[in-house]
């Protein structure tokens, strides 16, 4: 048995037990919901259509995406009301300010009842204040959620969400299988002109960028987007996971698990992180990476690509079709742009996508609502049932899509999304409100891939042939309330210093010869004490639960 395998197996067994023991009934007060069932369905179960027995409304924090700004007349709202008897009251926040506004609202006690678009670990800072609900106490109200965890064997991943009290406070998006979307898009017509192959590794990418620079000296071959609010958020994360780290950029995790030592290390102090910065520094120094990649807006990055001043940019399936190709069609019609599989780094051929996606926190005040049970049933139906997920993604059969006898869905001829019906005059997201990132994500593999073009199917085929990191789930290290309070004081200055120093090293504003001095600076910001606390929390959880 591999080092740590026995302990991890025991932890997984404990997770199965915890899933059954922490649902609805940890104490008498939480199990008594007799005064909170107004509007709730009696006997609501897996696969049932939820419909409140009376008209109810719930407030929701709404992440307003600039690509499909919220509209009051969306079919999504009216049809949702017909099917569920629920009216949602959005508290609208721009995507760029979402995390900050969410924190302010929760801290002030003004948060809406439903708080979606929260990624695993982001809930941690809100636990000790008691502002959010321990949702694991109420899983018996969510039969579809429980069914998918059991059916897809997601207990190990759910286990990582647990806090020191054994409970979890986030209802995550659940994937049947991992799905990696973000990578780089590259001008393949330029590759053809230069007689180059699509790069398979980060070293190959360097070679390609160097050849592009030689042929187009006035260009920065790679000019990245997604730098607000996290500088080079996508690029840094792709490089970090390719080097075997837990995450960086917009997915920065302070602690990375080392399976060989069975200890956590501090991500921003590892040799692997240094290698990431050395790579970026080399690109910047040789004029291959636009220095503004760390600070520019998405529109600036898109403009450079459209004007032929860059040839490589961060991408996912939607931005490739919705943003870049239409941009290039107006300026360089002959251009060909392709999203390439994640370049391979020292960690090998991996698929780093987790099976848990962003999910939902519930405001603690929801527990006192007379409609609390109805709200939990509604959340279970919309975000976790097959029918609710299909509705949120595809819309209304006969209006936005049709379905043949085999169950295959097709957009109606006048409806377009991600370029599937280019001649369609109506847009599934912009005009109807479906396929909306607040409501439509995760699900079974067929549904997740139902909008994938043949091109994206090929991309997924390559990625799914790689080793899934979701199968190597790092162990949890939940903090006590006191530890969390201390961690919150340490984490912000640590992360700020890691991010600021990363930019300095990458841009050549600070010599990498000063790496030891940088490590000393991190120590001065309590890195060692933080890491000691992480490993103690891990060991304590293993002792108590595994």
């Amino acid at each position: 048995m591999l080092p740590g395998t026995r302990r991890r197996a025991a932890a997984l067994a404990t997770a199965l037990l915890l899933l059954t023991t922490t649902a609805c009934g940890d104490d008498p007060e939480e199990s008594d919901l007799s005064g909170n069932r107004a509007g709730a369905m009696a006997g609501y179960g897996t696969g049932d259509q939820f419909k409140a027995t009376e008209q109810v409304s719930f407030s929701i924090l709404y992440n307003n995406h600039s690509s499909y700004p919220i509209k009051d007349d969306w079919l999504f709202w009216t049809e949702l009301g017909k099917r569920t008897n629920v009216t949602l009251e959005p508290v609208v926040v721009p995507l760029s300010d979402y995390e900050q506004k969410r924190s302010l609202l929760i801290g002030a006690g003004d948060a809406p009842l439903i708080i979606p678009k929260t990624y695993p670990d982001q809930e941690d800072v809100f636990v000790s204040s008691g502002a959010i609900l321990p949702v694991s106490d109420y899983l018996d109200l969510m039969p579809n959620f429980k069914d998918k965890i059991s059916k897809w064997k997601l207990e190990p991943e759910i286990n990582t969400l647990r806090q020191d009290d054994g409970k979890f406070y986030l209802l995550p998006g659940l994937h049947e299988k991992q799905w990696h979307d973000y990578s780089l898009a590259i001008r393949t017509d330029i590759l053809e002109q230069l007689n180059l192959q699509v790069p398979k590794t980060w070293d190959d990418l360097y070679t390609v960028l160097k050849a592009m620079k030689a042929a187009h000296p006035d260009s920065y071959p790679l000019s990245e987007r997604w730098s607000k609010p996290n500088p080079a958020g996508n690029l840094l994360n792709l490089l970090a996971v390719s080097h075997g780290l837990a995450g960086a950029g917009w997915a920065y995790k302070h602690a990375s698990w080392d399976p060989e030592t069975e200890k956590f290390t501090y991500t921003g102090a590892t040799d692997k992180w240094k290698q990431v910065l050395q790579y970026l520094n080399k690109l910047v120094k040789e004029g291959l990476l636009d220095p503004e990649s760390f600070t520019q807006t998405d529109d600036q990055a898109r403009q450079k690509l459209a004007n032929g001043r860059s040839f490589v940019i961060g991408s996912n399936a939607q931005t490739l079709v919705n943003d870049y190709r239409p941009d290039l069609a107006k300026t360089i019609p002959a251009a060909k742009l392709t999203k390439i599989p994640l370049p391979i780094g020292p960690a090998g051929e991996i698929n780093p996508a987790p099976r848990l996606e962003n999910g939902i926190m519930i405001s603690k005040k929801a527990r006192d609502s007379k409609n609390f049970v109805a709200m939990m049933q509604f959340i279970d139906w919309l975000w976790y049932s097959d029918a609710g997920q299909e509705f949120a993604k595809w819309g209304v059969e006969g209006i936005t899509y049709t379905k043949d006898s085999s169950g295959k869905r097709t957009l109606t001829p006048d409806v377009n999304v991600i370029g599937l019906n280019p001649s369609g005059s109506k847009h599934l997201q912009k005009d109807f409100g479906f396929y909306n990132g607040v409501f439509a994500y995760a699900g079974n593999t067929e549904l997740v891939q139902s909008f994938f073009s043949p091109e994206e199917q090929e991309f997924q085929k390559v990625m799914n042939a790689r080793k899934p990191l979701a199968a190597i789930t790092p162990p949890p290290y939940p903090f006590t309330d006191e530890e969390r309070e201390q961690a919150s004081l340490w984490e912000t200055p640590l992360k700020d210093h890691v991010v600021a120093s990363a930019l300095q090293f990458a841009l050549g504003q600070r010599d990498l010869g000063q790496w030891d001095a940088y490590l000393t600076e991190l120590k001065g910001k309590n890195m060692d004490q933080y890491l000691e606390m992480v490993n103690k929390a891990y060991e304590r959880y293993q002792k108590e639960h595994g």
Side-chain angles (χ1 to χ4, degrees), residues 2-5 8 12 156-157 160 178 244-246 256-260 264 347 349-355 466-476:
L2 293 173
T5 301
R8 284 194 289 275
L12 299 192
E157 285 94 329
T160 66
Q178 71 277 3
L245 295 171
S256 288
W257 175 246
D258 184 344
E260 294 184 4
F264 284 93
E349 295 192 36
I350 59 167
N351 185 333
R355 291 199 295 165
R466 298 182 180 182
K467 181 180 181 181
L469 287 191
I472 314 172
T473 307

Side-chain angles (χ1 to χ4, degrees), residues 79 94 107 171 193 235 246 256 343 453 480 499 530 543:
E79 187 67 24
L171 293 168
Q193 291 171 15
L235 182 60
S256 288
S453 65
T480 63
V499 172
Y530 177 82
K543 182 179 179 181

Side-chain angles (χ1 to χ4, degrees), residues 192-351:
E192 292 168 3
Q193 291 171 15
L194 300 176
N195 198 27
L196 296 169
Q197 299 296 313
V198 171
K200 292 185 177 180
T201 68
W202 289 102
D203 288 340
D204 291 344
L205 179 67
Y206 166 75
T207 301
V208 164
L209 296 175
K210 203 168 178 61
M212 288 176 164
K213 181 72 173 181
H216 302 274
D218 294 334
S219 72
Y220 283 114
L222 170 55
S223 189
E224 178 63 323
R225 67 179 295 174
W226 290 316
S227 290
K228 305 286 186 181
N230 299 292
N234 175 58
L235 182 60
L236 281 171
N237 190 51
L238 295 180
L239 279 162
V241 296
S242 298
H243 281 73
L245 295 171
W250 57 21
Y252 183 75
K253 294 185 183 300
H254 291 273
S256 288
W257 175 246
D258 184 344
E260 294 184 4
T261 63
E262 293 192 303
K263 296 284 185 183
F264 284 93
T265 59
Y266 191 76
T267 300
T270 59
D271 287 340
K272 294 175 181 178
W273 182 240
K274 183 180 180 181
Q275 291 168 14
V276 168
L277 301 181
Q278 286 172 327
Y279 181 84
L280 290 172
N281 176 260
K282 179 171 68 171
L283 297 188
V284 171
K285 189 180 296 183
E286 298 184 23
L288 310 181
L289 171 62
D290 183 359
E292 294 180 356
S293 291
F294 299 91
T295 55
Q296 67 189 351
T297 65
D298 286 2
D299 285 345
Q300 289 171 322
R302 286 175 59 180
Q303 189 175 44
K304 290 173 182 177
L305 181 73
N307 292 340
R309 293 162 56 197
S310 70
F311 313 113
V312 184
I313 191 171
S315 184
N316 60 29
Q318 287 197 56
T319 56
L320 178 70
V321 176
N322 289 346
D323 295 351
Y324 307 144
R325 284 178 175 164
D327 289 349
L328 284 165
K330 297 174 185 175
T331 55
I332 312 173
K336 292 190 290 185
L337 193 74
T338 300
K339 186 180 74 162
I340 66 172
L342 175 66
I344 299 165
E349 295 192 36
I350 59 167
N351 185 333

